[in-house]
């Protein structure tokens, strides 16, 4: 999908009080940046921000950062956050801020062990085999997550894309991570109060589309043979071609 650029969005994002400019200044000091010393969760590719707005309200004992690459998208997230706070008569939330950044810079922004959890929600599937390294569940990005996550840190990944999910079930364990939880029917297996939806998730699920989710850690390897088959855990050499068959 082609993103529509909003003129002036770059300046809007820079000036917004919810934006952390030059975030590398806080590398190793994020606990001091937030008013409360609490676990830090990061959503990469946060879109319009519904997920983090609701989650940060539900979980006041956590600190949250939303990372978004596109200024036009981040402007919409900031505007919705400000409107929500204004309509509800609330002061600006102190446990939620935004980064206008590229995920490739994670190690410049966070020190080792500084992030407790990473959320990847409805990421671009990049279906062409030659673009595999751009997928946020690829080994290239998993190395970055490994460098900033705490020892018991987690990755929570949700998608409606069956091909991307199947590929991720192979890629993540092959990179040395453990699948702690896997479901191909999130809304059928997890209580609504235990799941915070994104804008996309609400849209897709309302059409009857099943949502998949996995939770990965770096604990000792695989105890999910009862949830996913061995053929899904060991990636075949031609996994891109098989999973995204027919994509040019």
């Amino acid at each position: 999908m082609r993103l529509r650029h909003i003129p002036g969005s770059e300046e809007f994002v820079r000036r917004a009080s919810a934006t952390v400019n030059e975030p590398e200044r806080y590398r190793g000091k994020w606990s001091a940046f937030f008013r409360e010393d609490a676990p830090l969760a990061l959503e990469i590719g946060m879109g319009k921000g519904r997920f983090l707005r609701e989650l940060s309200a539900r979980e006041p004992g956590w600190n949250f950062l939303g990372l978004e690459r596109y200024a036009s998208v981040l402007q919409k997230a900031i505007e919705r956050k400000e409107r929500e706070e204004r309509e509800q008569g609330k002061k600006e939330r102190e446990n939620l801020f935004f980064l206008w950044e590229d995920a490739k810079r994670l190690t410049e922004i966070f020190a080792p062990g500084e992030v407790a959890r990473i959320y990847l929600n409805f990421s671009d599937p990049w279906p062409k085999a030659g673009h595999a390294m751009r997928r946020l569940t690829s080994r290239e990005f998993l190395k970055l997550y490994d460098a900033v996550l705490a020892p018991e840190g987690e990755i929570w990944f949700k998608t409606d894309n069956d091909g991307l999910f199947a590929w991720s079930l192979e890629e993540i364990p092959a990179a040395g991570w453990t699948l702690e939880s896997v479901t191909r029917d999130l809304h059928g297996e997890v209580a609504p109060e235990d799941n915070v939806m994104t804008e996309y998730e609400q849209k897709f699920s309302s059409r009857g589309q099943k949502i998949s989710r996995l939770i990965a850690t770096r604990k000792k390897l695989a105890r999910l043979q009862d949830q996913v088959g061995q053929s899904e855990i060991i990636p075949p050499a031609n996994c891109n071609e098989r999973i995204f068959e027919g994509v040019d």
Side-chain angles (χ1 to χ4, degrees):
M1 181 184 296
R2 188 177 182 84
L3 295 172
R4 183 177 66 87
H5 178 259
I6 300 175
S9 58
E10 295 84 357
E11 187 63 22
F12 177 94
V13 167
R14 289 191 193 98
R15 290 179 175 273
S17 60
T19 304
V20 184
N21 293 303
E22 299 178 7
E24 62 274 8
R25 294 178 296 159
Y26 301 103
R27 186 178 187 272
K29 299 179 285 187
W30 283 104
S31 60
F33 170 83
F34 287 95
R35 297 217 173 174
E36 297 292 334
D37 185 7
L40 176 60
L42 170 70
E43 183 183 8
I44 298 175
M46 53 164 280
K48 298 175 184 176
R50 170 183 168 167
F51 176 80
L52 283 184
R53 290 198 309 275
E54 183 172 341
L55 188 59
S56 61
R58 284 193 189 188
E59 301 288 348
W62 281 70
N63 292 324
F64 297 90
L65 288 170
L67 184 150
E68 176 55 52
R69 180 179 178 183
Y70 299 103
S72 295
V73 177
L74 185 50
Q75 176 174 335
K76 292 182 180 180
I78 293 169
E79 289 173 338
R80 293 183 183 197
K81 176 178 179 290
E82 291 175 345
R83 182 170 64 247
E84 181 181 280
E85 291 167 347
R86 186 168 57 250
E87 291 174 351
Q88 296 177 3
K90 295 181 179 179
K91 64 180 182 179
E92 186 173 29
R93 201 165 292 153
E94 296 178 345
N95 69 334
L96 173 60
F97 290 88
F98 303 136
L99 308 178
W100 178 28
E101 283 289 346
D102 192 310
K104 293 178 182 178
R105 286 200 346 113
L106 285 183
T107 55
E108 300 174 44
I109 297 170
F110 302 102
E114 201 163 22
V115 179
R117 184 177 296 168
I118 290 174
Y119 292 101
L120 307 173
N121 292 320
F122 300 90
S123 311
D124 191 328
W126 293 104
K128 294 183 180 180
H131 292 165
M133 69 177 62
R134 300 183 186 183
R135 299 169 195 157
L136 291 181
T137 51
S138 70
R139 297 180 206 198
E140 286 74 9
F141 280 102
L142 289 167
K143 290 177 184 176
L144 296 176
Y145 309 153
D146 183 63
V148 301
L149 275 173
E152 298 298 315
E154 301 171 330
I155 297 171
W156 290 45
F157 170 57
K158 289 197 288 188
T159 184
D160 69 314
N161 188 292
D162 293 337
L164 178 61
F165 194 69
W167 185 85
S168 300
L169 287 176
E170 299 173 342
E171 183 79 351
I172 292 172
W177 296 66
T178 298
L179 299 175
E180 296 287 342
S181 172
V182 172
T183 175
R184 295 181 184 272
D185 184 12
L186 178 62
H187 294 178
E189 298 178 9
V190 175
E193 60 269 23
D194 294 329
N195 177 54
V196 176
M197 288 202 289
T198 72
E199 291 92 350
Y200 282 120
E201 186 173 355
Q202 184 179 41
K203 176 181 175 182
F204 296 146
S205 61
S206 67
R207 297 173 179 173
Q209 176 73 40
K210 288 188 177 180
I211 306 301
S212 298
R213 188 187 73 181
L214 67 81
I215 299 173
T217 70
R218 291 162 299 173
K219 296 175 184 176
K220 286 187 180 178
L221 197 62
R223 49 178 170 272
L224 282 197
Q225 303 300 324
D226 57 334
Q227 294 191 40
V228 293
Q230 183 66 30
S231 62
E232 291 181 303
I233 293 196
I234 301 176
N238 64 340
C239 63
N240 276 300
E241 288 76 4
R242 180 173 60 80
I243 292 172
F244 294 103
E245 185 175 359
V247 178
D248 294 327

